[in-house]
Amino acid sequence: MSTTEEKLYRQAYALSLFTIFYNVAEGIISMLMGYEDETLTLFGFGVDSFIEVMSGIGIAVMILRIRQNPDSPKSNFEIKALKITGTAFYMLSVGLLVGIITNLINHHKPETTLWGVIISVVSIVVMVWLMNAKKKVGRGLNSAAIIADSNCTKVCVYMSLVLLASSLIYEFTGFAYADVIGTAGLIYFSISEGKEAFEKAKGKACACDKC
């Protein structure tokens, strides 16, 4: 392996670790503020961040594997991580749906969605940077796996945009169903990510690989 390739693999691994630690911090803050402000979308966004941590661990292991042998198949750990991640996304979708129904029955509205605006803006900036950084490294290594991971980061950007839109709408208009609509958006993307995780576990190409 050349010095350049070694450097790029170190960068790829460092980016995977950054993804894990960033999502831990984002998850804690989002869940705490979502609970305090009674914002279901922000709370669900925080739970999603912790699921992304599980996914990130699998990616870190994948990078270590392809660093040794780029053509090696997925390890049992990676496959199990993908299945656990997919199951967690489906469970999140069910939990958020129950939350939507409960909030509609109780005519519940958030106290404020200001934190949703702040967290989503930070997340968009970080995820766009992360996506581009991973893609650059992936292209440098000519690694389809790393490029696919960078493309799948787009889903995190989309979820952040959903949080931002619903938070801004409620903060400026007080529209009662803004939080519910935002949560429905998270459910859509959670189901999509769950499906893709199981497809990856089976060795199938995912939609995000073609982005």
Side-chain angles (χ1 to χ4, degrees):
M1 183 182 294
S2 68
T3 304
T4 300
E5 287 179 322
E6 184 68 27
K7 181 180 178 181
L8 288 171
Y9 272 118
R10 285 199 300 267
Q11 290 177 1
Y13 188 65
L15 288 171
S16 70
L17 293 181
F18 174 83
T19 303
I20 293 169
F21 291 117
Y22 173 80
N23 276 297
V24 169
E26 181 181 76
I28 292 172
I29 295 171
S30 297
M31 289 182 69
L32 287 175
M33 301 315 300
Y35 178 80
E36 183 175 324
D37 295 339
E38 300 181 6
T39 309
L40 184 58
T41 306
L42 181 55
F43 186 84
F45 185 79
V47 177
D48 171 80
S49 295
F50 280 109
I51 299 175
E52 297 292 350
V53 170
M54 292 188 285
S55 176
I57 292 172
I59 295 298
V61 172
M62 177 199 76
I63 291 171
L64 293 176
R65 170 178 59 80
I66 64 176
R67 183 179 184 178
Q68 297 296 322
N69 182 3
D71 298 321
S72 60
K74 288 185 178 70
S75 66
N76 289 332
F77 179 88
E78 290 173 71
I79 294 173
K80 288 180 181 178
L82 284 167
K83 289 180 178 179
I84 292 172
T85 299
T87 301
F89 275 124
Y90 285 146
M91 291 176 65
L92 172 60
S93 301
V94 172
L96 291 177
L97 180 59
V98 171
I100 286 177
I101 295 171
T102 302
N103 283 359
L104 288 174
I105 292 174
N106 296 329
H107 303 287
H108 173 77
K109 295 196 301 182
E111 294 292 329
T112 178
T113 54
L114 179 60
W115 272 105
V117 174
I118 296 171
I119 292 171
S120 60
V121 168
V122 173
S123 180
I124 290 169
V125 172
V126 172
M127 287 300 139
V128 169
W129 167 79
L130 193 59
M131 178 178 64
N132 290 328
K134 287 181 176 181
K135 187 170 294 186
K136 182 179 179 180
V137 171
R139 286 173 175 170
L141 290 167
N142 194 28
S143 171
I146 295 176
I147 293 174
D149 176 45
S150 72
N151 287 330
C152 287
T153 306
K154 287 182 181 179
V155 179
C156 298
V157 177
Y158 297 153
M159 294 181 86
S160 299
L161 287 170
V162 168
L163 174 62
L164 177 61
S166 63
S167 299
L168 282 173
I169 291 171
Y170 184 81
E171 196 65 23
F172 287 105
T173 70
F175 179 55
Y177 299 111
D179 190 46
V180 167
I181 294 173
T183 304
L186 292 188
I187 291 175
Y188 171 81
F189 286 114
S190 293
I191 292 174
S192 175
E193 286 201 279
K195 179 182 177 182
E196 289 189 350
F198 278 109
E199 287 179 343
K200 283 184 177 181
K202 294 177 182 178
K204 297 179 181 179
C206 299
C208 56
D209 295 350
K210 304 178 182 65
C211 295

